Amino acid sequence: MEYKHSLKSIAQFELKSWFGRIFKNKKCKLKKSHNYLHLGCGSNYIEGYINADFFTFSKIKFWKKRTVKIDWEVDLRYPLNCDDEVFDGVFMEHVLEHLYFDDAKNLLKELYRVLKKGAFIRITVPDLEKYVKFYNKNYDGYDAEAFKSKFKTGCDAISNLTQNYFHLSVWDYEKLQITLEEVGFNNVKKMEYGKSQDQKLLLDLQERAWETLYVEAQK
């Protein structure tokens, strides 16, 4: 599937963002016990976590209803309406690639601010290294068969990574490590599907494992 931007869609998105930030930018409601943030949850709502995503407008007639259930409505390009050091962990699955690099770095700064000391952040993104390997017909060290089943050519794969799904940035481990360390995180580690330093952050969707880079860092 190909995704195309239009002036109309961009204008609608920015209008939703403006309206949401003015009228729906509520402070995050925290639980009495542990608070784990599932950021950019989409339709993958997980009980027991604070599920956050873009503003919804189901009660406004001139916008299509969105049935996605979320706990906290946000625009990740802007500061989070949340106190410092309140979260015990943060999980983001395929979120950063939907932001430009500067917006992504600003978001990571915000997440560093709201995480408790010693807490972990788990970030997953499409892995540029895997895509480049596939493009160069290097089929070692990753699930190359999954790539072959989804893309006719290496060009199709790179196009999917950089142009579909409203992707605005690409990431490999080196770039993500440097960005996390610049923000202030330490103990940045490349992880694997289903393995984490905090078991409550193991929320990975298996169907995305073939293309995904898993990284954790600690405050």
Side-chain angles (χ1 to χ4, degrees):
M1 180 183 293
E2 294 184 355
Y3 291 73
K4 295 182 180 180
H5 291 287
S6 68
L7 289 177
K8 180 180 178 181
S9 65
I10 294 173
Q12 287 179 336
F13 179 82
E14 293 299 340
L15 182 59
K16 289 179 183 179
S17 173
W18 176 84
F19 191 94
R21 285 181 284 115
I22 296 297
F23 297 104
K24 304 190 72 179
N25 188 25
K26 297 180 181 179
K27 199 168 186 177
C28 179
K29 292 183 180 180
L30 299 173
K31 306 176 187 297
K32 292 182 180 180
S33 57
H34 295 300
N35 289 277
Y36 280 83
L37 178 62
H38 180 199
L39 194 59
C41 63
S43 60
N44 183 29
Y45 187 92
I46 301 176
E47 294 291 344
Y49 291 76
I50 295 175
N51 298 269
D53 211 311
F54 193 64
F55 301 107
T56 60
F57 298 94
S58 59
K59 296 181 180 179
I60 300 179
K61 293 182 179 179
F62 57 84
W63 270 318
K64 293 181 180 179
K65 289 186 177 181
R66 184 184 181 194
T67 58
V68 174
K69 180 182 178 182
I70 58 176
D71 304 310
W72 188 26
E73 297 176 79
V74 294
D75 184 335
L76 299 181
R77 300 172 299 172
Y78 296 89
L80 300 174
N81 189 1
C82 185
D83 293 334
D84 296 349
E85 298 186 1
V86 295
F87 289 112
D88 297 279
V90 175
F91 175 79
M92 287 194 298
E93 185 166 54
H94 287 231
V95 174
L96 282 188
E97 69 270 19
H98 297 283
L99 300 171
Y100 290 112
F101 282 121
D102 59 339
D103 289 329
K105 187 172 184 178
N106 288 334
L107 172 61
L108 292 175
K109 289 179 181 178
E110 279 292 283
L111 294 175
Y112 184 86
R113 176 180 69 81
V114 302
L115 268 172
K116 294 180 180 178
K117 292 180 180 179
F120 288 95
I121 184 172
R122 182 174 177 88
I123 300 172
T124 84
V125 288
D127 192 343
L128 174 61
E129 183 178 0
K130 292 180 180 178
Y131 275 85
V132 171
K133 281 185 174 181
F134 180 72
Y135 179 83
N136 288 322
K137 296 182 172 56
N138 178 354
Y139 302 135
D140 295 327
Y142 67 106
D143 189 357
E145 293 304 316
F147 275 80
K148 291 177 182 178
S149 69
K150 297 176 185 298
F151 307 116
K152 292 182 179 179
T153 69
C155 183
D156 290 334
I158 296 297
S159 177
N160 179 74
L161 177 66
T162 59
Q163 298 180 37
N164 283 345
Y165 307 104
F166 306 110
H167 289 176
L168 299 176
S169 58
V170 293
W171 299 85
D172 62 6
Y173 175 69
E174 182 181 23
K175 177 64 176 179
L176 191 49
Q177 179 188 27
I178 290 172
T179 305
L180 285 165
E181 289 176 346
E182 287 177 345
V183 167
F185 285 99
N186 56 65
N187 297 329
V188 182
K189 294 182 179 180
K190 187 174 183 179
M191 305 300 292
E192 298 178 11
Y193 168 77
K195 294 183 179 180
S196 175
Q197 298 166 94
D198 184 339
Q199 295 302 302
K200 289 188 177 293
L201 296 179
L202 280 181
L203 306 177
D204 312 331
L205 291 175
Q206 186 176 13
E207 58 264 32
R208 285 177 164 172
W210 62 276
E211 65 168 340
T212 298
L213 167 69
Y214 301 91
V215 175
E216 289 185 352
Q218 189 175 26
K219 178 172 178 178

